[in-house]
Amino acid sequence: MSDTGAPSGGGGGSSCCSRSVTLPPCRFRCVLVLARGGEKLTACHGSVEGIMANEPKGAGGFGYDPAFIPDGHCETFGQLPSETKNALSHRARALALLLEHLSTVLPA
């Protein structure tokens, strides 16, 4: 097992960790819906792909953060600096899309 808690096996897309066992991918997903008067105006989706570690690592974040290793990284969200985690955030991605949509429909 690596020091990230991920098995010394393959899969999941976190290429910097040496893995020989294929792990099923997982995803954090956020959907923000803008509605008015009972009518859905738009839905904005954000997601981040990765794998689950064998055991929680790190004290940062909350929920599943200490057990989730995002693609392209060897550390869990609980171990990554908050700036890195926020740049990958499924919530931030959904919010960015919602703000983009609002900028096109609201007067300047």
Side-chain angles (χ1 to χ4, degrees):
M1 180 166 23
S2 75
D3 62 356
T4 66
S8 303
S14 295
S15 60
C16 64
C17 299
S18 172
R19 297 185 180 112
S20 60
V21 176
T22 301
L23 297 173
C26 58
R27 167 185 306 130
F28 280 159
R29 185 167 185 182
C30 175
V31 179
L32 298 176
V33 176
L34 178 65
R36 183 175 182 182
E39 178 185 350
K40 181 180 93 171
L41 304 176
T42 191
C44 300
H45 305 257
S47 64
V48 61
E49 309 287 328
I51 59 171
M52 296 303 286
N54 284 339
E55 59 187 50
K57 294 282 187 172
F62 63 97
Y64 290 105
D65 287 353
F68 183 79
I69 303 170
D71 282 354
H73 295 272
C74 292
E75 298 82 21
T76 68
F77 268 165
Q79 294 172 295
L80 289 170
S82 59
E83 300 80 23
T84 303
K85 180 183 177 252
N86 292 339
L88 300 170
S89 168
H90 54 298
R91 293 179 193 95
R93 290 174 179 180
L95 183 58
L97 291 172
L98 180 60
L99 292 174
E100 180 181 327
H101 172 77
L102 289 174
S103 73
T104 66
V105 297
L106 295 177

